[in-house]
Amino acid sequence: MLQDVGVAFGAAQVLHRLTVELAEGQATAIMGPSGSGKTTLLSVIAGLRTPDEGSRHVSEADATPACARDLSIAWVFQTSPVFMRRTALENVALGPRCVGVDARSSRARAHEALASLGIDHLAGQQLHRLSGGERQRVVIARALCSRAELVIADEPTAALDGEAKQLVCDALISLADAGAVLVVATHDPTVAGACDRVLRLERGRLVSS
């Protein structure tokens, strides 16, 4: 997907000629110290940042730039936007609604996704009443039921612990098992260990893959 990609912010080179192949049904973890370029790499993979060098393609065999035929994408940030005065169910159902699924099916998908993350009992609660960890699971549930082809997660378990962390990890891996391309930037060895492979970044360079 990425071929000899380089990204610079002014005089600072953030990514150095990275080549990364991503496959359907594969979970890839990106690890590295803070400032190593993980979030920038995610942005390039998602098509939000155009590399200064190299190229991004939908697949290795496809020479068409990714912007011409792109994948459906679901993002999971630590600070993903949510509607604080709407319920958990309403927030999650927005995922499939935004890709054209009807209201009834979207709500059914939302209940299923919330249940898989152990928070279906919070479906009717407005988000401002939930804890930070519970809101993070709502965001992940929204990504689950959008059924996107590419799922990008940036530190998805940072606000979680114990059982919640494992539920989130299992839910993300289930997306890859269902055929999505899953890419997760993480410091969490539990999440990395559940992925099919781990890419390690140091100062914008791949040191192992």
Side-chain angles (χ1 to χ4, degrees), residues 27 29 166 169-170 173 177 188-198:
Q166 190 62 54
C169 182
D170 292 345
I173 297 302
D177 291 341
D188 189 334
T190 300
V191 175
C195 291
D196 299 301
R197 64 173 182 160
V198 178

Side-chain angles (χ1 to χ4, degrees), residues 1 3 21-22 57-65 69:
M1 179 177 278
Q3 181 69 42
E21 296 177 13
L22 302 170
H57 300 292
V58 169
S59 69
E60 182 180 8
D62 184 5
T64 305
R69 184 184 65 78

Side-chain angles (χ1 to χ4, degrees), residues 4-201:
D4 294 329
V5 161
V7 172
F9 294 144
Q13 192 72 25
V14 180
L15 298 179
H16 299 263
R17 299 183 65 82
L18 302 185
T19 294
V20 178
E21 296 177 13
L22 302 170
E24 293 179 359
Q26 184 180 67
T28 299
I30 300 174
M31 301 190 80
S34 297
S36 61
K38 298 189 299 297
T39 299
T40 302
L41 179 55
L42 291 184
S43 296
V44 174
I45 291 171
L48 297 180
R49 167 86 192 197
T50 300
D52 300 306
E53 304 174 81
S55 60
R56 169 186 179 267
H57 300 292
V58 169
S59 69
E60 182 180 8
D62 184 5
T64 305
C67 59
R69 184 184 65 78
D70 224 331
L71 305 171
S72 59
I73 300 175
W75 273 93
V76 178
F77 291 112
Q78 292 183 58
T79 56
S80 293
V82 291
F83 294 94
M84 298 297 284
R85 294 291 173 179
R86 291 192 178 185
T87 67
L89 182 68
E90 289 170 331
N91 272 273
V92 174
L94 282 173
R97 287 293 284 161
C98 286
V99 294
V101 179
D102 64 82
R104 183 175 180 179
S105 297
S106 293
R107 289 175 66 87
R109 282 194 194 182
H111 274 298
E112 182 181 347
L114 288 166
S116 73
L117 290 163
I119 53 171
D120 194 39
H121 63 288
L122 299 176
Q125 292 289 321
Q126 292 182 338
L127 258 66
H128 72 94
R129 298 183 180 277
L130 304 185
S131 69
E134 288 167 341
R135 287 197 295 269
Q136 177 72 339
R137 280 191 274 176
V138 168
V139 170
I140 292 167
R142 186 170 62 194
L144 280 175
C145 68
S146 70
R147 299 182 184 174
E149 298 166 282
L150 172 61
V151 180
I152 306 286
D154 193 1
E155 300 290 352
T157 61
L160 307 175
D161 54 26
E163 183 182 1
K165 180 184 294 188
Q166 190 62 54
L167 284 169
V168 165
C169 182
D170 292 345
L172 288 171
I173 297 302
S174 75
L175 295 173
D177 291 341
V181 178
L182 173 66
V183 186
V184 185
T186 184
H187 288 98
D188 189 334
T190 300
V191 175
C195 291
D196 299 301
R197 64 173 182 160
V198 178
L199 305 180
R200 297 186 185 277
L201 279 179

